[in-house]
Amino acid sequence: MISEESIQVLREAVKVSPENAPLRAHLADSLSEAGKFEEAAQEYRAALALIPKDNKLKLGLANCFYQQGDYSKAAVVLEDLVHQEDGPGKAHVLLSRILLNEGKVNDARKQYSSGLAKDPTACDAELADKLEPKGNTFTALNQHVESESDRRVSHSHSRDVERSEITFENVGGMTDIKEQIRVKIIYPLTHAETFKAYGKKIGGGILLYGPPGCGKTHLARATAGEINAGFICVGIDQVLDAYTGQTEKNIHETFDRARRNTPCVLFFDEVDALAAKRSDYRYSGMRQMINQFLLELDGMESSNEGILILAATNAPWDLDSAFRRPGRFDRVLFVPPPDTEARAEIVRIMVKGKPIENLDYSSLAKRTNNFSGADLMALVDFAVEKKIEEAMKTGVPKPLTTKDLELAVREIKPSTAEWFATARNYALYSNASGAYDDILKYLKLS
């Protein structure tokens, strides 16, 4: 518990610097931690006046209202947060509590499930226990829940497996990564007899990691297209479920669907949310989910022959070490930001169909070092928006030029810097197994 003396020091600091939003936020958090929710709410409001779009501050304010029993005010703030794509998972969980207090059990369950889908660490064992139907009193409700689960499973069975229309030719750069994917999971399928002669099974797992927006999903989809295999992309929202045992069923059904459609590339996006370290979870339901995932990867109950398993994560250091054992994700590949050649090709693809004039792709590529594919998309979008603004004023639309994109480079900064700051620490100080040597090479630290 934070001391009153510490709070007083923060109050004095805010008096000296009242426009300092982070300082006000720190004071608000401290007051909330000390149980001074009315005062904390005032500070959260003051901080929000300075940075109105800060979702963390909004969640703090909503929690203050909730703790004071003012559920209607809390709900207003939370409704805004849960309808945002990047709204915090804890907002859904807090709203679930309010809905449960109002007797809206089904709505509460939906919000709790959505909260876990966004942030597995937002799990609340006490709330989950209250949301779980028990006893004869809830017989009808149990039947409703089972019916809903059956419909979800039935829908999952009927959902078509995607057929990718892109191959490695559509992936700029990444020559080494593509070759490793060929050796690990493509050649065993395209040269099945040779591999079987050596007793090598068809299948396997590769974990792709790197900064966000660098094409990990695009690469996985191209892998499926390379061998004309089915492609199943699994997001955390398709797996996590608030109902006890349903998450494990969803994981099993996902693997089962892949087994019925071999050869198939089964791709788990943001896998760290499904494969986090079990020691990080106090809620046993999340540990059971991870155990089920490991069971399916091992093919203990059903063979995974012909299933090519890929997964992507921005935080490989958060994965449970069990996922890297032989037969699971035993090949870990670093997917860096696109190189110079790839950046030029990405920009070329992004401006296709737009009015352009003598674009110097090579020059642009050299100016966008460490840009991810998503950053390059933002770059092009920014330049296009400026041309549209200009056209609205003059009434004469003009083509994009190299100068337009170079001006955009001054405004759009690479988003990968923050990721590399974190990755660098892991590569330097938590790399006993050599798993992050590729990061050191990329940063020229080895």
Side-chain angles (χ1 to χ4, degrees), residues 187-188 191-202 305:
Y187 290 157
H191 300 80
E193 294 304 319
T194 301
F195 277 78
K196 284 182 180 179
Y198 286 93
K200 193 76 173 173
K201 291 184 178 181
I202 300 173
E305 184 83 4

Side-chain angles (χ1 to χ4, degrees), residues 76 92 123 137 150 156 169 239 252 265 289 308 381 428 432-433:
V76 169
H92 291 270
C123 61
T137 307
D150 290 343
S156 178
E169 289 185 1
V239 174
H252 174 72
V265 172
M289 172 197 73
L308 315 177
D381 285 346
L428 286 173
S433 65

Side-chain angles (χ1 to χ4, degrees), residues 29 44 53-61 81 88:
D29 290 340
Y44 279 124
K53 295 183 179 181
D54 191 304
N55 286 344
K56 185 179 178 183
L57 292 174
K58 291 179 182 179
L59 180 59
L61 179 61
L81 288 173

